[in-house]
Amino acid sequence: MSAARPSATIRYTAMRLSIFVGCFVVAAMAVHFGLVPSGARDSNFFWVILLALVLSAPLSYVLLRKQRDEMSAQIAPRIERAKQRLEENRTREDHVAP
């Protein structure tokens, strides 16, 4: 018996976080060794976070396309069911006599 596969959303989120952490380490090392200018005064930590975000966003967009599509396919039916329930509730309220 094989283990259950984690949801596509959890896998995508974990992979996205991993890419961010990797970019954070690279940005921190680049700032530490002077390859990238450090932030002003005490803003160095926030500067490294900003660099990591700027680096990880396009990488995640390109590298995680398959996982994003899987997540979308997993979530889409749930959204459609929620929309149907919302529409049923709305129409049910319209038929109530005053």
Side-chain angles (χ1 to χ4, degrees), residues 8-85:
T9 304
I10 291 172
R11 275 183 305 156
Y12 174 78
T13 303
M15 293 175 84
R16 178 86 165 89
L17 184 60
S18 298
I19 289 173
F20 172 76
V21 169
C23 288
F24 180 81
V25 169
V26 168
M29 297 305 269
V31 167
H32 178 72
F33 290 113
L35 299 172
V36 177
S38 61
R41 297 184 190 164
D42 294 333
S43 68
N44 197 34
F45 180 72
F46 296 109
W47 173 244
V48 173
I49 288 177
L50 180 63
L51 286 174
L53 285 171
V54 169
L55 290 172
S56 70
L59 285 173
S60 294
Y61 183 75
V62 172
L63 297 174
L64 300 180
R65 178 171 289 149
K66 179 183 171 192
Q67 288 77 16
R68 206 171 35 255
D69 290 344
E70 288 176 8
M71 182 176 65
S72 176
Q74 190 179 55
I75 292 173
R78 295 182 204 165
I79 292 173
E80 285 304 315
R81 284 193 304 270
K83 284 181 182 179
Q84 287 175 348
R85 278 187 261 131

